[in-house]
């Protein structure tokens, strides 16, 4: 059962990948990009990496599960990873995934973001916290759903919802928490947190993202 605090938590896993694993994943991705010519149409667009990279990332999640479950105890499954590649001028505006259907299974508990390569300037991952009711719906979890009874649910404000939705989020009084984790560190953040990536000023940001679920993915 997912508790509301899990969907609003932030955690870090230092040493999520070793230097050798980072080099292996980077090589697999470089070879794949050279072979396919993939370029994201938008900064928020991702690519599913080849199986060799997926296997390394999956093994890292399995290794990190005891530490992850200290903060996100309901985690029982993980989705395939997506790869994102951002250059100067790219950013991912603040957005909020929300919970579409509390009765469906499996449910997303949290996400994991791993920066394979940091930008030279800018490109920091962030979460925004606030006490405003503007982010919340009137829905609450009932007995029998995947969530603890009484859990409240945020709205869904997608990064693809357009400039008005982004402006609405920016207008809500909030506190921004940016991260600069040590190399090899993964950031785990709850599914009901506003989050995004600040604009890359210089260099290239390469990151991988996955979802942590309360059961095996379908």
């Amino acid at each position: 059962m997912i508790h509301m605090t899990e969907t609003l938590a932030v955690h870090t896993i230092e040493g999520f990948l070793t230097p050798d694993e980072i080099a292996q994943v980077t090589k697999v991705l470089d070879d794949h990009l050279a072979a396919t010519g993939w370029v994201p149409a938008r900064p928020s667009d991702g690519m599913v990496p080849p199986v060799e990279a997926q296997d390394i990332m999956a093994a890292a999640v399995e290794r990190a599960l005891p530490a992850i479950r200290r903060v996100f105890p309901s985690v029982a499954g993980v989705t395939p990873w997506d790869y994102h590649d951002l250059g100067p001028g790219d950013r991912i505006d603040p957005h909020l995934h929300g919970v579409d259907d509390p009765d469906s299974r499996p449910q997303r508990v949290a996400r994991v973001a791993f920066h394979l390569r940091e930008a030279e300037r800018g490109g920091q991952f962030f979460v925004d916290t606030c006490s405003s009711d503007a982010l919340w719906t009137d829905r609450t979890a009932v007995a029998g759903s995947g969530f603890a009874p009484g859990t409240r649910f945020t709205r869904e404000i997608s990064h693809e919802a357009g400039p008005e939705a982004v402006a609405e989020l920016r207008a809500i009084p909030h506190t921004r928490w940016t991260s600069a984790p040590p190399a090899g560190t993964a950031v785990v953040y709850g599914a009901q947190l506003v989050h995004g990536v600040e604009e890359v000023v210089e260099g290239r940001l390469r990151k991988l993202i996955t979802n942590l679920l309360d059961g095996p993915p379908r």
Side-chain angles (χ1 to χ4, degrees), residues 4 7-8 130-138 152-155 192:
M4 186 172 173
T7 70
L8 298 171
C130 76
S131 58
S132 172
D133 282 338
L135 294 181
W136 296 89
T137 68
D138 293 329
R152 287 191 64 189
F153 300 109
T154 58
R155 300 164 54 197
Q192 296 202 104

Side-chain angles (χ1 to χ4, degrees), residues 43-128:
S44 59
D45 288 349
M47 175 196 74
V48 178
V51 65
E52 296 89 347
Q54 294 282 359
D55 288 347
I56 294 170
M57 301 305 292
V61 171
E62 187 68 26
R63 191 168 60 215
L65 270 180
I68 291 172
R69 286 178 174 148
R70 282 198 289 269
V71 178
F72 304 91
S74 65
V75 168
V78 59
T79 62
W81 290 77
D82 282 335
Y83 169 70
H84 295 259
D85 200 323
L86 286 72
D90 290 340
R91 68 177 188 274
I92 298 178
D93 289 320
H95 57 284
L96 179 57
H97 295 294
V99 175
D100 291 331
D101 180 5
D103 296 322
S104 67
R105 302 295 292 273
Q107 285 286 346
R108 176 165 51 194
V109 180
R111 305 189 93 195
V112 183
F114 181 79
H115 284 195
L116 195 65
R117 172 178 172 176
E118 298 285 356
E120 292 179 32
R121 284 197 298 143
Q124 294 94 339
F125 172 77
F126 66 81
V127 296
D128 289 344

